Structure formats: structure tokens, C-alpha cells
Amino acid sequence: GREANAANTLRLPAYMTFNAGLRQNFRIDGKPFTLRARVSNIFNQFAWNVTGSGLYFYAAPRTFTLTLTSEL
């Protein structure tokens, strides 16, 4: 857990998230490409976070990301 206010009178519970990703390198017309697939917060754990200024926000829900990059 972690303290959630300046007076240390409020404590947020600890939590854990799991992330996973895959990467594939390949060439199209001789040019290198990389395809990445990622899943963040696989089990969709709900939790609260706090910033240094005492602002509360919830942890991001399960998120899927797919990116394609090239070194042209």
C-alpha cells in the first residue's frame, strides 16, 4: 500500500497488474518492419492511484495496443 495524503492518515491498498507483449520483425520489399502487440492490465484490476499533489485517479483498465514501425 501507499500513503494517499500529506498527513499520512489515508492509505491506498497495494495492487498488482500483469502486462504481456509480442514482437515480430519482418521485411516488405527489402525494408525492415516491426509489429508489436501488447496487453496492459490483463486481468482488468481496478485500483486507485494518487499523485504527489494529492490528486486521485483510477488505474487504466485492460488496454490492447498494436503498433507497426519501420526504419525507412
Side-chain angles (χ1 to χ4, degrees):
R2 60 211 171 277
E3 305 309 322
N5 63 6
N8 293 333
T9 57
L10 179 62
R11 187 168 176 81
L12 292 177
Y15 70 96
M16 184 183 312
T17 61
F18 293 93
N19 307 315
L22 301 170
R23 177 184 66 206
Q24 178 66 47
N25 296 314
F26 58 94
R27 291 185 172 274
I28 296 177
D29 199 25
K31 296 176 177 67
F33 287 85
T34 302
L35 181 65
R36 290 182 177 89
R38 291 182 295 243
V39 182
S40 301
N41 195 2
I42 292 173
F43 300 115
N44 207 25
Q45 174 71 40
F46 179 83
W48 287 102
N49 288 320
V50 63
T51 64
S53 62
L55 190 68
Y56 297 90
F57 62 97
Y58 63 90
R62 182 184 305 121
T63 306
F64 299 91
T65 308
L66 185 65
T67 58
L68 177 65
T69 58
S70 177
E71 299 175 16
L72 299 176

